[in-house]
Amino acid sequence: MTKPVDILFKPFEHGNIAVPNRIVMAPMTRSFSPGHAPNDDVVAYYRRRAAAGVGLILSEGVSPNATTATGTPNVPNLVFDEAKAGWRKVADAVKAAGGKMGLQIWHEGPYRNAKASEHPDVPSWSASGFKVPGKQIAEPMTSAEIEIAISEFVDAIVATKELGFYCAEIHGAHSYLIDSFFWRETNLRDDSWGGAWEGRTRMAAEIISRARAAVGADFPILIRLSQWKQQDFNALAAETPAELEKWLTPLVEAGVDGFHLSQRRFWEPTFGPDVAGVGGDAHLNFAGWAKKITGKPSISVGSVGLSGEFTAIYGPGGESTPASLDALVDRMEAGEFDLIAVGRALLQDPEWALKIREGRTDELMTFTKDALATLS
Ligand SMILES: Cc1cc2nc3c(=O)[nH]c(=O)nc-3n(C[C@H](O)[C@H](O)[C@H](O)COP(=O)(O)O)c2cc1C
C-alpha cells in the first residue's frame, strides 16, 4: 500500500527557517569543479533540482581554505575569486528557479588525502592527530591552528551569505575536522578544546557564535552531526540521551538554528531500549532525539526512497531500486523530525521530488553508480 505523501509537501516554518516543503537535497560531493571553482555544469545541476521542487538544497562540501581543507581534486572551495563567482551564479540560478539553497562548509581534517592535494607537505589537521582511534597521523593542532580553522569557517559562512545563499551548513559529521573534536576517541586533548563535552564542542560552538555575530539573526546556520564514524558505523559518539544533550546544548547556546542528523537508514533507532533515559522513546532516530532534546528544527536522512544504503555504492553492484515512502510518511506525520534529506535518489534523478509529488511512482529510477560519472 502507498500512503499519501502530503506531509512531505507541507511548508515548514520555525524561527528563522522557512521552506516551501520538507524535502532537502542532501550534501553530496561531486568533484566536478576544475580549479576548485564550480562551472556552468554545476550551476545547471543545482538549478535542475530547484526547478523540480526540492524545498531546500544543501550543496556538496565546499572547502573553507585552499591548503588543509581538502585533498580531493575538483572539490570546490570558497576561497578563490573564480570559485566565489561560480557560487554566485549557482545562488542566482537556484533563486531564479524558485529554490532555496545553502552551502555545506567542509574541512576534511584527518581524512584529507594530502598526497593527492596541491599541498602534500602541509600536515592534515585534527584534534589530536588521530584519523582513527590509536592511529596517529599528525601532530595535534596547535591553539593557533584552531583559531585559524575557526576564522576560516566563519569567513566561509559570511561569504555564503554575501553570495546570496539562503543558509549555511557546518559539516560536523563523518570523522572530518570538527567531528575529530567531538569524539572522545579521537580528541585526547587536555586543554580547553578537549576533555568533557564542553571542551570537545567548543570549536563548533565558537564557529557558530562568531558566525552568528557576523551574519545576524536572520541567516540560518545549520550543523550536520553523525554518531557513526567512517571506520565504524556502529560508533556512538553520545551513548545516552543525557550525553547527547551535553553535545547539542552548547551548539544551541552558541546560536545554531537547526540540526542535520546523519544516518545511513532513517528508520534505525539511535539508542537501544535498555539505555538509561530512553524510556518510551526507543523508536526515535537521531533526528528525533535532536528535536526532542533541543526543540530545534531537525533534518533526518538515510536511504529515503531506495532499497540499499549509500556506502554500498563503493562496493560491488551499488544499485538501489525505488522503495516505499510509507515508513517515512508515518514518522513525519508523527512529528518525529521536521525535514528529510534525500541523497542518491536526487543525484540520480533531478525530478525525484516532482515525481513523488505528482504520484508518478512508475517513473522513479534505480540508483546506479553510473550516476556518479556525470553531472546531469
Ligand atoms: C556521492 C556522495 C557524496 C557525498 N558527499 C557528502 C558530502 O560532501 N557531505 C556530507 O555531509 N555527506 C555526503 N554524502 C552523504 C549524503 O549526504 C547522505 O547522507 C547519504 O548519501 C545518505 O543519503 P541517501 O541514502 O539518500 O543517499 C555523500 C553521499 C554520496 C552518495
Side-chain angles (χ1 to χ4, degrees), residues 102-297:
L103 296 186
Q104 186 190 56
I105 315 302
W106 177 39
H107 192 300
E108 293 182 42
Y111 274 82
R112 156 183 177 256
N113 182 353
K115 284 192 196 128
S117 80
E118 290 116 10
H119 302 279
D121 300 328
V122 177
S124 296
W125 285 350
S126 63
S128 297
F130 287 90
K131 183 168 179 179
V132 299
K135 187 176 172 196
Q136 192 163 12
I137 56 159
E139 291 300 309
M141 286 174 82
T142 64
S143 301
E145 286 168 337
I146 292 174
E147 281 297 334
I148 293 169
I150 291 170
S151 317
E152 288 173 345
F153 262 96
V154 173
D155 289 349
I157 293 167
V158 170
T160 301
K161 182 182 177 193
E162 286 173 357
L163 291 169
F165 288 98
Y166 175 70
C167 65
E169 175 170 278
I170 298 164
H171 196 335
H174 308 170
S175 312
Y176 297 115
L177 178 64
I178 292 176
D179 202 21
S180 81
F181 278 79
F182 286 144
W183 198 30
R184 64 171 74 72
E185 303 285 336
T186 48
N187 183 345
L188 308 183
R189 302 179 74 94
D190 56 11
D191 61 6
S192 63
W193 302 102
W197 277 107
E198 190 190 355
R200 286 184 277 127
T201 53
R202 189 173 157 217
M203 184 195 214
E206 287 290 334
I207 293 168
I208 294 163
S209 61
R210 294 186 207 179
R212 169 66 60 219
V215 297
D218 294 341
F219 185 74
I221 300 173
L222 311 174
I223 188 163
R224 193 172 217 212
L225 308 175
S226 65
Q227 290 269 43
W228 61 265
K229 309 301 156 204
Q230 292 200 24
Q231 80 289 356
D232 181 3
F233 290 115
N234 296 318
L236 284 178
E239 290 175 358
T240 62
E243 266 205 275
L244 185 56
E245 189 169 351
K246 288 186 185 159
W247 186 0
L248 304 183
T249 303
L251 309 180
V252 171
E253 286 171 356
V256 83
D257 298 299
F259 290 101
H260 186 176
L261 298 309
S262 173
Q263 38 186 136
R264 291 183 300 156
R265 303 174 188 92
F266 72 86
W267 59 88
E268 289 183 344
T270 292
F271 302 115
D274 300 328
V275 169
V278 166
D281 292 318
H283 61 288
L284 292 182
N285 75 6
F286 196 24
W289 278 106
K291 183 173 173 183
K292 178 180 162 69
I293 288 171
T294 68
K296 290 281 175 189

Side-chain angles (χ1 to χ4, degrees), residues 26-29 61 104 171 174 224 301-303 310 313 343-344 372:
M28 283 176 289
T29 290
Q104 186 190 56
H171 196 335
H174 308 170
R224 193 172 217 212
V301 68
S303 304
F310 85 101
I313 61 179
R344 289 159 298 147
L372 300 177

